[in-house]
Amino acid sequence: MKVITQIKALREYLNSIRKNDKSIGFVPTMGALHEGHLTLVRQSVKENLFTVCSIFVNPTQFNDPADLKKYPRTLQKDCEMLEEAGCDLVFAPDTSEVYPSEATISLTFGYLEEILEGKFRPGHFQGVGLVVSKLLHMVQPDRAYFGQKDYQQFLIIQTLVKDLNFPVKLIRVPIIREKDGLAMSSRNMRLSEEERAAAPVFFEALNAAAEVLKRDKNVNGARALAGRLIEEKNGVSLEYFEIAHPDTLKPLSNETVGDEVVLCVAGYVGNIRLIDNLIVNI
Ligand code: PAF
């Protein structure tokens, strides 16, 4: 497995891959890899002749500098895991390589960046949009893989790719969960034993709400029940729980609910922020 840190070297190497008509799959990450990331990599390996994974902790998507500082950085271990999963090339640039100077352009996504994650993390999706644009220009993949756990991020990237005509096929890969239902996340490694034991409450709340929806399409009841379950858990606080349209993320009510919905949740366990979601057919 090749490890490259410079954009110029990356482009040269990938040009030679493309000359041999090899399809390129791309998995952008911020490192601190877990089984969820490896599932994306394995799917890319299956569907492409060459797989690139980027590891770059993108400063422009952190609205809280303390969060950026604390973000786990485990490059050596990540590379070992990627090699094992069949990745062909790791692109691990420095911040100055990706941002040689402060970016002056900004990408906005309207309503989609003002709700849910966007509301609680102002500027986050502008940073994601910027870095994903840069990475797609650098790698020029045929397919790019993203996890469903960041559901709203996937919609943002879909918008980016559509509006800017990036010639790439986006693939959303289902959430990988621990045995007790906790969605895999790089942040989980920062949970204490007690916090780790409380963290599956988000998945439990999603399932409880899904049951209410399937039973009697009661959106308001489902939302209230999920909120209660989370608020009642010791050491856990709720930021939002929303039942929304899967394409637009517009909140639904008993009157507007359709056959497919997405349930999105975010909250804190101690001071670790976690998100999760569930797509439900009702
Ligand atoms: O999902 C992530 O890990 C990041 O938001 C991404 C897409 C790699 C951009 O930095």
Side-chain angles (χ1 to χ4, degrees), residues 147-171:
Q148 185 199 312
K149 189 169 79 65
D150 295 296
Y151 191 93
Q152 190 174 3
Q153 169 173 280
F154 189 81
L155 292 183
I156 290 274
I157 294 168
Q158 250 181 350
T159 306
L160 178 82
V161 162
K162 184 168 118 306
D163 285 5
L164 294 180
N165 303 90
F166 279 102
V168 60
K169 184 173 164 42
L170 294 180
I171 292 154

Side-chain angles (χ1 to χ4, degrees), residues 200-273:
V201 70
F202 294 114
F203 186 54
E204 285 153 23
L206 287 168
N207 280 313
E211 256 176 56
V212 173
L213 286 171
K214 282 183 184 163
R215 201 175 54 227
D216 51 17
K217 283 204 172 193
N218 182 353
V219 174
N220 304 339
R223 200 185 276 119
L225 170 67
R228 217 167 38 242
L229 286 173
I230 293 168
E231 294 286 15
E232 278 169 4
K233 194 86 183 175
N234 249 348
V236 179
S237 61
L238 178 65
E239 223 168 40
Y240 64 77
F241 185 97
E242 197 48 87
I243 298 170
H245 189 285
D247 299 333
T248 61
L249 287 184
K250 291 245 155 87
L252 297 168
S253 66
N254 289 356
E255 289 69 43
T256 56
V257 65
D259 292 340
E260 199 187 30
V261 300
V262 61
L263 281 53
C264 299
V265 64
Y268 282 87
V269 184
N271 60 5
I272 311 294
R273 188 173 185 278

Side-chain angles (χ1 to χ4, degrees), residues 28-30 37 56 58 61 71 124 128 131-132 135 146 150 153 157:
T29 80
M30 298 206 299
H37 297 109
F56 177 64
N58 173 38
Q61 71 186 75
Y71 203 86
H124 169 67
V128 170
V131 81
V132 171
L135 291 167
F146 297 88
D150 295 296
Q153 169 173 280
I157 294 168

Side-chain angles (χ1 to χ4, degrees), residues 19-61:
K19 265 196 200 119
N20 292 327
D21 270 348
K22 287 193 178 176
S23 55
I24 297 176
F26 178 41
V27 182
T29 80
M30 298 206 299
L33 302 183
H34 51 68
E35 199 47 39
H37 297 109
L38 297 181
T39 305
L40 306 182
V41 172
R42 287 192 204 103
Q43 185 162 338
S44 171
V45 169
K46 239 187 250 161
E47 295 175 354
N48 303 278
L49 289 170
F50 195 87
T51 289
V52 179
C53 177
S54 64
I55 297 181
F56 177 64
V57 183
N58 173 38
T60 63
Q61 71 186 75

Side-chain angles (χ1 to χ4, degrees), residues 267-282:
Y268 282 87
V269 184
N271 60 5
I272 311 294
R273 188 173 185 278
L274 299 178
I275 59 172
D276 201 350
N277 65 76
L278 195 63
I279 300 168
V280 181
N281 290 300
I282 49 181

Side-chain angles (χ1 to χ4, degrees), residues 186-207:
S186 307
R187 291 165 191 261
N188 294 353
M189 63 174 82
R190 286 163 51 200
L191 296 168
S192 69
E193 206 176 310
E194 209 177 313
E195 289 165 347
R196 174 63 190 80
V201 70
F202 294 114
F203 186 54
E204 285 153 23
L206 287 168
N207 280 313

